[in-house]
């Protein structure tokens, strides 16, 4: 993004919302911190990218157990990464959503899901609710192991803005 102060690294989201009976786009720009120093060698490059992104990333096994999460993912939910590893994805969902969550996970593991965005209400460690957008994909290793990879963005603030716009529209 070009600014008067120079170029700024951002991640853009572009979502449809309805306002005043008209379909409009809500565009959000999230500032990305540039990688400091030089890029590490190949084995460490993935780790540097995985840990420096502003998007939360998690890898789950076939059962829905976290095998890897980056700091951003854990931070979104109020956990340290090591608190999430080995636990089921149900950790971040209210019990009434567990069946839907498991069905969605199983579809991705079977290869029936797409990378399309899905929005969810989730629960932080401290009990606060969040609204997130999740983008899912499946990874199959050379040995046939299947994993679900999810990239997550916290959209709680955007949802509050959208709701405020709807209330404002209703009052008009």
């Amino acid at each position: 993004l070009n600014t008067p102060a120079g170029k700024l690294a951002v991640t853009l989201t572009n979502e449809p919302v309805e306002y005043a009976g008209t379909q409009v786009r809500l565009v959000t720009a999230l500032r990305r911190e540039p990688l400091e120093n030089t890029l590490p060698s190949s084995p460490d490059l993935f780790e540097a990218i995985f840990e420096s992104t502003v998007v939360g990333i998690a890898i789950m096994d076939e059962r829905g157990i976290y095998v890897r999460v980056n700091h951003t993912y854990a931070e979104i939910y109020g956990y340290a990464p090591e608190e999430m590893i080995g636990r089921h994805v149900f950790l971040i969902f209210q019990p009434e959503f567990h069946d839907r969550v498991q069905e969605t996970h199983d579809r991705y593991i079977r290869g029936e899901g797409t990378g399309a965005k899905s929005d969810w209400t989730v629960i932080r460690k401290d009990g606060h609710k969040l609204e997130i957008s999740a983008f899912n994909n499946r990874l199959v290793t050379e040995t046939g192991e299947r994993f679900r990879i999810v990239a997550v963005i916290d959209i709680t603030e955007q949802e509050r803005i959208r709701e405020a716009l709807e209330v404002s529209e209703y009052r008009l």
Side-chain angles (χ1 to χ4, degrees), residues 67 84 94 110 129:
V67 295
M84 299 186 88
Q94 292 181 311
R110 289 190 304 264
K129 290 183 181 180

Side-chain angles (χ1 to χ4, degrees), residues 28-93:
T28 306
L30 299 171
R31 182 178 179 185
R32 286 185 284 139
E33 294 299 324
L35 285 177
E36 294 177 4
N37 305 324
T38 60
L39 287 175
S41 63
S42 183
D44 297 326
L45 180 59
F46 169 78
E47 184 67 24
I49 294 168
F50 186 78
E51 290 301 339
S52 68
T53 182
V54 296
V55 176
I57 301 172
I59 303 171
M60 289 160 267
D61 69 11
E62 293 183 29
R63 298 170 296 153
I65 304 297
Y66 290 114
V67 295
R68 185 83 196 272
V69 301
N70 70 358
H71 283 87
T72 303
Y73 187 92
E75 199 173 89
I76 287 170
Y77 300 106
Y79 291 92
E82 56 273 8
E83 291 179 284
M84 299 186 88
I85 304 301
R87 305 218 21 214
H88 197 278
V89 69
F90 289 169
L91 175 69
I92 61 169
F93 289 96

Side-chain angles (χ1 to χ4, degrees), residues 145-159:
E145 287 182 288
R146 294 175 292 176
F147 296 91
R148 180 172 142 224
I149 301 172
V150 61
V152 171
I153 300 171
D154 180 354
I155 61 165
T156 306
E157 191 59 31
Q158 290 96 320
E159 286 299 304

Side-chain angles (χ1 to χ4, degrees), residues 94-106:
Q94 292 181 311
E96 61 265 25
F97 294 115
H98 288 185
D99 288 343
R100 180 175 166 219
V101 169
Q102 190 65 53
E103 288 169 13
T104 300
H105 176 79
D106 292 344

